[in-house]
């Protein structure tokens, strides 16, 4: 009996069954597989050449393990022992393959199973931070999330669930801190995520404390590691003094006036009292003072130990009260709620200095006036003794002799300072000696510097009487800046031989001729003059009151050199060289007065069309053509003579440092003469002109021509064009012979473009070949363009081909002839045509044979009846006005045949149907007539329906257009309505005439109240007012203007929130350049503080601000910079000064709308600018701080409204509202009329539709 072959291999389901899961790195002792035949009976392995392979595949890595055996354990059973391939956690697929050989060799795939390999018991816990990039956490915030996982003894992860039991402990800087509560959840990796836990100990170091989290279990065999992170102090909550150096907390600190406060430290703490050394966000401590003459404004970074020390705070006050204030600031803005104050109680210690002077005889010299003593000048030497008397007063204005004097005294007539430390009150000072070697300085200052108290300076004037002048010099009578073209004044002074000043009265007594105006000559020393320094004129003036000579010089050039003053030559002798003096002068350019191009006021230049122009250098100059270094001057160019547009394109011209260079300008204008005006748009300056001549360029194509011999060429259908030749011409009509490219000439024929031409470089001719004419005869345009710029058309006559067929006109292929009297055809035309159905011409006349098949008698054009009729074809054309049967003709299918007698191959067959039923013919004719009448009536009704439908659609469309126009007009006032009327609804406004009337009345009320423009409201500032008067808004002194006079914001609410953003910069002054700024800063730095802004330091805005795509813009009004207005002469400052003040800040109506936009930016990682909230008058800064709001008693600062703009804006709004109201009334009236008309139209349409249906 033949053995059955294996058919089924499967795992045995008994005590040796395959487990569903095992522990990693464990083996399966026995895996039993049974091998069955097709009847599912065990196979006897004896005598069978076979092998059984156990295949184990790790599904995660596709790693494959096999075990092959040839032995059966029992009949039909194979057993694999100690299978050790489960070395990793995961899912494994187990299957077997039975392979047998011999004549009937084959393979049987066994059953597949999966087995899960799981980790063992937990041997060790691991804990780490969920976010490893962040290792610092504030003590007042939620502690960091922790990840807890476990591994078995082989290092494989053990899945954890939320019911897993473990203990969590914490220590901060080695001190145990209880964990109050925590919760855990399981993530997708089967790890425990621990969160929502709190420390019982909230005390940390100022720079941060080390926190250690440890995990333990009840099972002592399980080990655990630790997790470390840094806990830093929380958000700033309060400020405190360290160690109370300024006395008790709630009591004022008592201090003597004109002394310094002791050094004191300030600590910033969180709500738990932890000292903050490194805040998570960048902050500073700002100290200010009140009630003191010196208003300190000190900013300090927080020190490393958390204690910020302030020292050398001077206490100088006119009152007995003062205070110091410490604030926390971030990005220049104070953080509300974080402030420390200390009241000061100030008492004054008074010191009075007195001066005594004695001559050599010991006699007391009494002063002429307060501390003014007469000292003679000459060869007599006299020594004078001097004493200083010091009186000290206590806080009760009583002389206190018990106070020891401890001070330093400095005298100008000796180089030494000496220390006084005694209870004595009278001290002898170093003596002073008169005579020829005395100093010319008449005013002496005795400086008294006590160890405690105010420094004092006592002024003592020694009046020296010099009588004989022997030398001259000058005294500057105004500021040292000398401008070209502006008169500069000096005063001539006389001195004696000891360099002592001789008074004008003594000069007059000595030599009255010295005051003669013609005695003195002024000039520039040639050897010292640089650049083009020269004098235009000078003159002398004698001041009758002071009896002094004043020199007034006007320079015509700029540069440096020495100005020399000498006597006339006739006053000089060898023994008397005369008086002479010289001094350095530096003359700069005068006030800006004109614009020059290449240093001339009429610059002439020539340029070829399409060429590069000569560089144009635009300068702002004074009257003497010296460049003035101004910034921000906008230049415009206007063509006054010539074509309307500039023959070249220029960028935006804004002069910097007095110059703007235009290089590489391409002259793309038409040839001709241009007169171009160069003017300034924001400053009144003398204009200049550019006289430009644009020459014709022989290399620029202007037209295209076809060679003359080809212009009248006629071509036939179905053939290619002969070679077409073209030339490109310039403006002079000559051939362009340079820079030509073959593919630049485009030929368009019958809707197809061709660019593959050949270019003959000798004749500069383009040639097109093999262009198909097409199959349509007639006259068509051939268009040629060069480089897509020049278009030229040529009319081409396309002729038909030769005669090859006949065609027929006015024939219906479905012709049915209903009677003998009815014509077969009427107005039939037989025409000659070529193979493409183009009608062609034939020379001479032809004969056309006309007949029908089957044969029948016919008549053509009323002629003699015949079975075949000849018709003459004049020039190949024949017209059959009438063709009909004659006599009795049977009904049936017929063919009308045409054949040309001269050419039997030319013919035409036309089939038709004929019937001889008279009654049927009458019925057909009647039906045809009724059908035609019905069709005509139907078409007429449909036409009326279409006209009425069009009228209805036009009426509805007009109504929609009027409504859209009304909405558009109202939307232009949307922002005005929202700002002016609370809870305004545009939908309600557009639906009610009463609401429109109400808004007009309320607008009129605002107009009545807006008689005067709203002025800027800001902190009074004396310095700002002084500089405003100096500049007078004209910039003549280097001051462009003050911010309140430059920037205006019409809307009052927007103005207030923008002023809150500008803050102290509202008291700002704009200067032309840094040099001018520094000059005024040095002069006013001790006065009321202002903000100094230099145009040369202002970066110009490069782009218009835009919002992010898809960002939430509900409540967005505009960018702040778009809401400011400036006078026309200051328009150029919007993108410089305006950008410095407002940048890309955005205006939102409500706080919630601004927060929504900022949250979107944060989510999408976009930079969010500062947001200004109109309704709440608040700012959302870019870091997230919300600043602003106001209390009822708080003064609100704001920019002013543009002069007359508020009233003008209101009046314009009222005018627009009135127009909207009138349009609304008209629209309402038109709606009623249109509604009646449409009802009428609808009724007519329904009637017509019923007729059409019938």
């Amino acid at each position: 009996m033949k053995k059955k072959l294996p058919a089924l291999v499967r795992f045995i389901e008994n005590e040796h069954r395959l487990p569903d899961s095992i522990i990693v790195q464990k083996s399966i002792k026995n895996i039993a597989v049974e091998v069955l035949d097709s009847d599912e009976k065990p196979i006897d392995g004896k005598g069978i050449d076979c092998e059984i392979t156990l295949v184990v595949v790790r599904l995660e890595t596709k790693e494959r393990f096999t075990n092959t055996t040839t032995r059966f354990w029992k009949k039909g059973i194979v057993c694999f022992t100690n299978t050790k391939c489960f070395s990793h956690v995961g899912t494994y697929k187990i299957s077997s393959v039975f392979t047998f050989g011999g004549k009937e060799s084959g393979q049987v795939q066994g059953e597949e199973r999966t087995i899960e390999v799981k980790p063992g018991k937990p041997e060790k816990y691991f804990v780490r931070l969920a976010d490893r990039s962040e290792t610092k956490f504030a003590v007042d915030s939620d502690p960091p999330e922790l990840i807890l996982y476990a591994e078995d003894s082989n290092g494989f992860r053990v899945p954890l669930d939320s019911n897993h039991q473990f203990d969590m402990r914490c220590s901060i800087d080695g001190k145990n801190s209880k964990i109050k509560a925590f919760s855990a959840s399981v993530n997708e990796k089967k790890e425990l995520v621990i969160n929502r836990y709190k420390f019982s100990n909230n005390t940390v170091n100022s720079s941060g404390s080390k926190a250690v989290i440890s995990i333990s279990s009840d099972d002592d065999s399980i080990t655990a590691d630790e997790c470390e992170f840094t806990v830093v102090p929380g958000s700033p909550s309060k400020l405190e003094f360290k160690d109370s150096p300024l006395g008790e907390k709630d009591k004022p600190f008592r201090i003597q006036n004109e002394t310094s406060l002791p050094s004191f430290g300030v600590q910033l703490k969180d709500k738990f009292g932890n000292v903050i050394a490194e805040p998570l966000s960048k902050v500073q401590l700002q100290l200010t003072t009140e009630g003191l003459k010196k208003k300190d404004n000190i900013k300090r970074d927080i020190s490393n130990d958390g204690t910020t020390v302030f020292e050398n705070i001077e206490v100088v006050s006119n009152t007995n009260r003062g205070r110091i204030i410490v604030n926390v600031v971030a990005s220049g803005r104070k953080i509300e709620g974080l402030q420390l104050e200390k009241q000061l109680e100030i008492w004054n210690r008074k010191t009075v200095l007195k001066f005594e002077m004695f001559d050599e005889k010991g006699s007391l010299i009494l002063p002429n006036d307060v501390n003014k003593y007469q000292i003679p000048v000459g060869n007599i030497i006299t020594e004078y003794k001097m004493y200083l008397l010091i009186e000290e007063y206590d806080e009760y204005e009583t002389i206190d002799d018990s106070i020891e004097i401890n001070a330093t005294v400095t005298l100008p007539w000796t180089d030494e300072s000496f220390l006084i430390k005694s209870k004595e009150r009278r001290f002898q000072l170093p003596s002073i000696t008169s005579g020829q070697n005395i100093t010319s300085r008449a005013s002496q200052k005795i400086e008294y510097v006590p160890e405690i108290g105010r420094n004092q300076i006592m002024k003592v004037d020694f009046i020296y009487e010099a009588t004989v002048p022997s030398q001259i010099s000058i005294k500057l009578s105004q500021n040292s800046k000398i401008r070209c073209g502006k008169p500069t004044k000096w005063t001539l002074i006389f001195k004696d031989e000891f360099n002592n000043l001789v008074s004008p009265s003594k000069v007059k007594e000595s030599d009255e001729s010295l005051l003669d105006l013609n005695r003195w000559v002024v000039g520039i020393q040639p050897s010292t003059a640089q650049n083009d320094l020269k004098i235009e004129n000078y003159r002398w003036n004698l001041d009758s009151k002071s009896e002094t000579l004043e020199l007034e010089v006007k320079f015509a050039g700029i540069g440096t050199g020495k100005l020399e003053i000498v006597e006339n030559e006739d006053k000089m002798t060898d023994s008397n060289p005369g008086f002479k003096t010289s001094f350095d002068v530096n003359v700069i350019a005068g006030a800006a007065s004109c614009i020059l191009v290449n240093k001339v006021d009429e610059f002439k230049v020539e340029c070829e069309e399409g060429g590069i122009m000569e560089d144009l250098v635009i300068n702002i100059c004074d009257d003497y053509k010296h460049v003035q270094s101004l910034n921000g001057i906008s230049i415009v160019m206007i063509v006054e003579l010539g074509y309307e547009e500039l023959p070249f394109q220029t960028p935006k011209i804004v002069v910097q440092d007095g110059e703007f260079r235009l290089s590489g300008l391409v002259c793309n204008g038409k040839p001709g003469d241009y007169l171009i005006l160069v003017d300034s748009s924001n400053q009144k300056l003398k204009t200049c002109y550019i006289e430009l001549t644009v020459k014709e360029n022989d290399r620029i194509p202007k037209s295209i021509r076809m060679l003359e011999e080809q212009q009248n060429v006629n071509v036939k259908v179905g053939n290619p064009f002969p070679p077409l030749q073209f030339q490109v011409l310039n403006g002079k009509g000559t051939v362009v012979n340079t820079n030509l490219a073959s593919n630049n000439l485009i030929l368009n024929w019958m809707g197809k473009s061709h660019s593959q031409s050949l270019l003959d470089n000798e004749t500069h001719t383009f040639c097109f070949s093999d262009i198909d004419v097409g199959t349509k005869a007639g006259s068509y345009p051939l268009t040629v363009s060069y480089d897509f710029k020049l278009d030229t058309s040529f009319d081409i006559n396309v002729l038909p081909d030769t005669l090859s067929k006949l065609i027929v006109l006015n024939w219906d292929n479905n012709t049915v002839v209903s009677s003998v009297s009815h014509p077969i055809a009427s107005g039939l035309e037989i025409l000659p045509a070529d193979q493409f159905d183009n009608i062609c011409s034939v020379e001479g006349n032809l004969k056309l044979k006309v007949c029908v098949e089957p044969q029948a008698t016919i008549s053509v054009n009323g002629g003699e009846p015949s079975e075949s009729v000849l018709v003459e074809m004049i020039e190949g054309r024949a017209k059959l006005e009438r063709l009909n049967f004659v006599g009795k003709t049977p009904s049936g299918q017929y063919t009308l045949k045409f054949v040309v007698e001269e050419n039997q191959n030319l013919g035409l067959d036309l089939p038709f149907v004929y019937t001889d039923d008279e009654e049927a013919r009458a019925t057909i004719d009647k039906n045809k007539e009724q059908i035609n009448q019905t069709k005509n009536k139907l078409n007429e009704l449909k036409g009326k329906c279409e006209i009425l439908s069009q009228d209805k659609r036009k009426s509805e469309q007009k109504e929609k257009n009027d409504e859209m126009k009304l909405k558009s007009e109202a939307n232009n006032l949307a922002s005005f309505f929202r700002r002016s009327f609370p809870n305004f609804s545009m939908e309600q406004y557009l639906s009610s005439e009463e609401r429109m009337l109400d808004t007009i009345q309320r607008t009129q009320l605002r107009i009545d109240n807006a008689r005067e423009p709203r002025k800027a409201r800001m902190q009074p500032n004396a310095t700002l007012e002084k500089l405003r008067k100096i500049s007078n808004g004209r910039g003549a002194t280097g001051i462009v203007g003050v911010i309140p006079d430059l920037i205006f914001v019409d809307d009052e609410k927007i103005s207030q929130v923008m002023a809150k953003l500008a803050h102290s910069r509202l008291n700002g002054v704009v200067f032309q350049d840094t040099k001018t700024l520094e000059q005024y800063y040095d002069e006013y730095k001790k006065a009321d503080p202002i903000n100094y802004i230099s145009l040369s330091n202002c970066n110009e805005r490069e782009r218009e601000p835009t919002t992010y795509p898809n960002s939430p813009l509900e409540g967005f009004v505009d960018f702040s910079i778009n809401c400011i207005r400036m006078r026309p002469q200051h328009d150029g400052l919007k993108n410089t000064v305006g950008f410095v003040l407002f940048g890309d800040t955005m205006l939102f109506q409500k706080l919630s709308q601004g927060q929504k936009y900022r949250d979107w930016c944060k989510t999408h990682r976009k930079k969010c600018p500062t947001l200004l909230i109109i309704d709440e008058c608040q700012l959302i800064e870019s870091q997230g701080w919300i600043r602003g709001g106001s209390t009822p008693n708080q003064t609100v600062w704001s920019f002013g409204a543009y002069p007359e703009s508020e009233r003008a804006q209101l009046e314009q709004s009222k005018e627009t509202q009135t127009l909207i109201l009138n349009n609304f009334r008209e629209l309402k009236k038109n709606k009623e009329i249109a509604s009646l008309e449409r009802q009428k139209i609808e009724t007519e349409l329904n009637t017509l539709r019923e007729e059409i249906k019938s």
Side-chain angles (χ1 to χ4, degrees), residues 825 858-866 869 880-884 886:
I858 59 173
S859 172
V860 177
N861 296 339
E864 290 295 328
S866 175
V869 180
L880 309 184
E881 295 294 346
R882 182 179 179 85
L883 188 151
N884 58 287
V886 179

Side-chain angles (χ1 to χ4, degrees), residues 430-446:
S431 60
I432 188 171
T433 304
S434 69
Q436 62 184 16
N437 294 324
I438 64 171
T439 176
S440 62
R441 182 176 177 181
S443 181
Q444 309 290 335
K445 294 180 180 178
I446 301 174

Side-chain angles (χ1 to χ4, degrees), residues 984-1109:
F984 176 81
S985 169
M986 181 64 75
E987 184 178 352
Q988 294 176 0
Y989 173 79
L990 289 173
S991 62
S992 171
E993 183 176 340
E994 289 73 17
R995 289 187 180 274
M996 292 183 181
L997 287 169
D998 179 59
T999 56
I1000 291 174
Q1001 291 171 0
R1002 290 160 72 183
T1003 304
Q1004 181 60 48
L1005 183 61
R1006 292 188 61 190
I1007 292 172
D1008 296 337
N1009 295 331
R1011 299 297 178 187
E1012 294 294 331
R1014 189 184 72 254
K1015 295 184 178 179
R1017 291 195 298 273
M1018 58 189 178
Q1019 184 76 35
N1021 190 293
T1023 306
L1024 189 78
E1025 293 303 321
K1026 287 180 183 178
L1027 294 178
R1028 173 185 271 158
K1029 291 177 181 178
I1030 292 172
S1031 69
N1032 201 21
R1034 294 191 298 270
T1037 57
I1039 303 176
V1040 178
V1042 299
I1043 292 296
D1045 294 345
L1046 295 174
I1047 294 177
F1048 304 96
V1049 181
D1050 289 338
D1051 187 280
E1052 188 169 6
K1053 280 193 172 182
I1054 293 178
S1055 167
Q1056 291 171 359
V1057 71
M1058 288 177 65
K1060 188 176 289 291
L1061 173 69
H1063 196 53
S1064 60
R1065 287 178 291 184
L1066 194 60
N1067 283 341
V1069 182
V1070 182
F1071 297 88
Q1072 286 282 4
D1073 49 52
T1074 306
K1075 187 176 180 181
T1076 308
L1077 183 150
E1078 291 172 350
Q1079 173 192 336
Y1080 282 98
Y1081 175 78
D1082 291 339
E1083 185 175 351
Y1084 291 97
K1085 63 183 177 182
K1086 295 184 179 180
D1088 284 356
I1090 61 171
N1091 271 273
Y1092 297 80
I1093 302 173
S1094 168
L1095 284 182
S1096 57
N1097 291 337
C1098 291
N1099 295 324
E1100 185 170 0
R1101 180 175 61 164
E1102 297 178 354
R1103 57 173 179 77
E1104 292 292 327
T1106 56
T1107 57
Y1108 296 117

